[in-house]
Structure formats: C-alpha cells, structure tokens
C-alpha cells in the first residue's frame, strides 16, 4: 500500500517548505518595519500587515507586543 519511505520524505519536505515560508514572511515583516521607521509612522501589527501584505494574525504571531513598544519608543 503506502511506502513508509515516501511518507517520511513528504513529511520532511513539508517541514522544510513551512520553514522557508516562515523565513520569507519574517524578511517581509522586517522590511515593512524599516519602511515604517523611515516614513516616521507609528508601528503597529496592523500597519506592518498592511505594508508587507501578510495577514494580521501572521504578523501578531511573529512580532511581540513588547517589541512594538520598544520600536515606537525609539522615535
């Protein structure tokens, strides 16, 4: 029926693809933060999501509230 080797491989492949997507999203979020800083705008989860094209929930998953506070205090 199912070859255990192919099931294991697909699991590893899936994990690698997920990690790659996560790294890409983190990169986009960091770029969006830099853009908002140069524009001297308030940095919020919503503004980051809007700027980088990621969903609000994805941004809240990757950016903590404490980090946002520290970014806005640096102005």
């Amino acid at each position: 029926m199912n070859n255990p080797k192919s099931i294991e491989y697909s699991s590893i492949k899936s994990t690698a693809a997920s990690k790659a997507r996560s790294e890409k999203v983190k990169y986009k979020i960091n770029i969006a933060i830099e853009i908002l800083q140069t524009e001297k705008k308030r940095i919020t989860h919503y503004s980051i999501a809007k700027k980088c094209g990621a969903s609000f929930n994805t941004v809240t998953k990757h950016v903590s509230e404490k980090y946002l506070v520290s970014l806005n205090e640096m102005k």
Side-chain angles (χ1 to χ4, degrees):
M1 268 176 29
N2 288 334
N3 183 353
K5 200 172 196 177
S6 68
I7 293 172
E8 182 180 330
Y9 172 75
S10 67
S11 172
I12 292 170
K13 187 176 178 182
S14 175
T15 304
S18 176
K19 185 175 181 182
R21 279 191 304 273
S22 178
E23 292 300 318
K24 189 174 179 182
V25 168
K26 288 177 186 177
Y27 177 76
K28 284 183 172 184
I29 288 171
N30 286 330
I31 296 297
I33 289 171
E34 288 179 17
I35 291 169
L36 290 167
Q37 286 175 328
T38 58
E39 293 175 349
K40 297 191 185 326
K41 292 188 176 178
R42 190 162 194 278
I43 301 169
T44 62
H45 288 120
Y46 179 76
S47 64
I48 295 169
K50 195 169 183 180
K51 192 62 82 173
C52 73
S55 74
F56 177 82
N57 288 338
T58 301
V59 174
T60 56
K61 179 175 133 184
H62 291 285
V63 181
S64 71
E65 193 67 39
K66 284 183 179 181
Y67 183 60
L68 286 181
V69 169
S70 69
L71 286 173
N72 286 310
E73 287 176 351
M74 291 188 331
K75 287 184 180 180

